[in-house]
Amino acid sequence: MRLSIFWITPLLLQSSLFGWNLSLKDAEKIALSENPLYLISKEKVFQSEQKTLQAYANICPKIRYESFLAHTFEPSLIEQVSTGTLSFKKNLIMNKFELTQPIFSTDLYFNLTAKKQQKSLAEEQKNREKNALLFKVRKNYYGTILHQLSIQIKRYESLSAPYLSVTQSAVATSNAVAIYYKALKGLKISRNALVESLGIDPSEEEAIDLNEKDIPIKSVSILQKKIDQAKKTFVPTEFSYLGKIRSSSLKQTLTLFTEKELENYLAIALSTLPELKIHKWEIAVRESELKERYGEYAPVITSILDCQK
């Protein structure tokens, strides 16, 4: 008889029993706890931590103790190690204690350095996977909302085909219905992509109901501020109601982000993007591994304390 134990997160348990009422924050939490690619990246960080501890162990003191017992049928001449005296004995008992401590070893030092750098590399790879996962979840979440809004529009268009001639009306209705079903297909694809990014069972897709019904652009304060400024600057008239801009100065005022702001965002990206840090740590690891290989040909100094009795 085999006993199987399954771990179910509270969010998954709630969804399985009562259906999904999924907010964006819940979707992100589920993805970070269930997505296999992100879980693999976390496991790699743990493995690198253990390898770093092993590298520390190589430069720590090592203690070795041995005990030896021998019995002979005839007495044998045995030297007492501690005193140097000789005596005849049938039983030989020997205890040995050894303490070894590396004092100078370049290969061990650079091996430890490489393991530390590999740990930092694994952490940045995990951060990259996390950023990519959260971006994918948000993209698919709001993409699903966008398709839901599009469905409402296409449904209205399919039900309000123009009443021209019978033939023209039938063609218009047929085209509108085809567009509507194409939008339904797009919604299904978007929902499947969301389920895939969450890392859950695809069969749960039908139970998902998104808690948010609109794209919260106003919640991004800097973006909302820029949009409000653009609205104050550019007021559509009978000459430009289609959004046509007739002067270069007006184009400049309608730019959401200035070149200086974009340069600041670029500087932030260059200093924080995990992809750039990953390349940095990869180079550092390769350099340390090369020095470790050179260290194998360098002299090694080790102290040994040997006691026998």
Side-chain angles (χ1 to χ4, degrees), residues 50-204:
Q50 300 306 307
K51 291 180 180 179
T52 303
L53 293 178
Q54 291 176 355
Y56 272 114
N58 292 333
I59 62 174
C60 290
K62 294 180 176 59
I63 299 176
R64 181 181 179 185
Y65 176 79
E66 293 181 355
S67 182
F68 177 78
L69 172 63
H71 176 75
T72 60
F73 292 100
E74 297 293 335
S76 301
L77 185 61
I78 299 173
E79 180 183 2
Q80 186 70 24
V81 177
S82 58
T83 61
T85 59
L86 299 175
S87 60
F88 288 93
K89 294 182 178 180
K90 289 186 177 183
N91 296 325
L92 172 62
I93 300 176
M94 180 180 295
N95 296 313
K96 181 179 180 181
F97 175 82
E98 184 178 274
L99 174 64
T100 305
Q101 171 62 59
I103 297 177
F104 176 79
S105 177
T106 54
D107 58 332
L108 292 180
Y109 171 76
F110 287 115
N111 177 60
L112 175 59
T113 303
K115 291 301 184 288
K116 289 181 178 179
Q117 293 168 342
Q118 287 174 358
K119 177 177 177 292
S120 300
L121 173 61
E123 289 176 345
E124 292 302 333
Q125 290 174 336
K126 186 195 74 170
N127 292 336
R128 178 184 62 182
E129 193 64 40
K130 180 179 180 180
N131 288 350
L133 176 59
L134 292 179
F135 176 78
K136 188 176 181 181
V137 169
R138 293 166 187 172
K139 177 183 177 181
N140 293 332
Y141 188 91
Y142 287 122
T144 302
I145 293 177
L146 190 61
H147 278 87
Q148 289 175 346
L149 296 175
S150 176
I151 288 294
Q152 297 176 7
I153 297 174
K154 301 305 180 185
R155 183 187 296 116
Y156 173 78
E157 291 177 350
S158 65
L159 296 176
S160 57
Y163 292 96
L164 304 172
S165 65
V166 175
T167 303
Q168 291 175 332
S169 180
V171 171
T173 302
S174 177
N175 292 336
V177 170
I179 294 175
Y180 171 69
Y181 280 108
K182 183 178 180 181
L184 283 178
K185 181 180 179 181
L187 175 61
K188 185 67 174 180
I189 294 174
S190 180
R191 289 173 63 89
N192 289 337
L194 176 60
V195 171
E196 180 184 3
S197 62
L198 294 179
I200 61 176
D201 190 341
S203 63
E204 297 281 354

